Every structure is written in structure tokens, then in C-alpha cells.
Amino acid sequence: NNALVDIYPEIGPLGAIYTAFKANKTTAWLVIAIDIPFLNLATLKKLIKNRDKSKIATTFQGTNKKYPEPLITIWEPKSIPLLKNSIASKNYSLIHILKKNDIKTLTINNTIINNINTKEAYNKIINQLKN
């Protein structure tokens, strides 16, 4: 069984990423949210190909977004102290970590990285797929 159980399940994705690093501190972790219906293999290959190990993370930012996307990201081991400090200070925003630190950002069309958080967003995606 290779499943990891969140050390901090109540703090969202930050807890999951920190848990992954506790399991293996020497590898980078590719983090992908499960609610991104138009994410495709070509996009993931682009992220991996453009990975910058010298940064804390390599990520995407949509053309019309004001912030980087924390859940289609390669998180590097050098991000561990930042994650740990965020947990200690009870600031669980991955976006905050990305915005305040040295990252590599790849620009991408918003549609590819849009996620579904509401029933309305789900219905909109279903209608797009039908047409």
C-alpha cells in the first residue's frame, strides 16, 4: 500500500503536500487537483519539461489569472521549510507561498487549468462537452 494519510487533514492541500514530503524529503512532488477536466497529457509534459529545480516550484498561471495555480505544480524539496512555516503560522494558502517565493511560472490558457468547484461550474463544463 503506497497511500499516504494526511498528517494535517484539516488544512487542505498544504497538509497533503507536506505529508508527501515527510514520506520522501528528497524528491519533488507533482501535485494535480482532481477537479480539472481539461488538463491533458501535453500540458503535464510541458510542466515536466520546463521544471526548474533551482526554484521552490514550477507551476502554471492562466493568462487572465492574478495568481499561480498551486495544484498543477511540481513542488521541490526546497519548499519544505516554507510549507512547515506556513503550517506553524496557520497560513494554509499555497497561493500565498507561491506568490511570495522564487518560482518558475508557465503561462497557459485559462480553460486548460480551470477547475470545478460548484454545481454551476460542473453544468457549464458538461454543456461545453456536449457542444
Side-chain angles (χ1 to χ4, degrees):
N1 185 353
N2 294 331
L4 300 176
V5 178
D6 282 359
I7 297 168
Y8 301 103
E10 67 283 353
I11 66 172
L14 173 59
I17 296 168
Y18 187 72
T19 297
F21 277 120
K22 291 292 277 184
N24 189 331
K25 292 176 174 65
T26 61
T27 191
W29 287 90
L30 171 60
V31 175
I32 305 169
I34 62 168
D35 61 352
I36 306 170
F38 297 115
L39 184 62
N40 56 42
L41 184 58
T43 302
L44 291 176
K45 284 182 177 181
K46 178 180 178 180
L47 181 67
I48 293 165
K49 180 182 177 205
N50 289 285
R51 176 183 174 204
D52 187 340
K53 296 178 186 179
S54 72
K55 310 290 185 188
I56 67 146
T58 302
T59 189
F60 288 110
Q61 184 163 337
T63 50
N64 295 324
K65 302 256 181 169
K66 295 181 180 175
Y67 54 87
E69 174 52 58
L71 299 178
I72 311 171
T73 300
I74 300 172
W75 289 88
E76 299 294 340
K78 62 176 50 182
S79 69
I80 296 171
L82 301 169
L83 299 170
K84 188 175 182 179
N85 289 342
S86 289
I87 292 168
S89 66
K90 297 185 182 337
N91 182 354
Y92 307 131
S93 171
L94 292 171
I95 293 170
H96 178 79
I97 294 170
L98 293 175
K99 286 173 74 172
K100 298 290 182 186
N101 291 282
D102 191 20
I103 66 172
K104 179 163 185 181
T105 306
L106 307 170
T107 303
I108 193 164
N109 182 302
N110 288 342
T111 303
I112 295 172
I113 62 170
N114 279 343
N115 61 355
I116 299 174
N117 291 316
T118 65
K119 181 74 171 168
E120 292 77 23
Y122 172 78
N123 289 333
K124 183 178 178 184
I125 296 294
I126 293 300
N127 288 332
Q128 284 177 349
L129 293 174
K130 288 179 182 176
N131 297 328

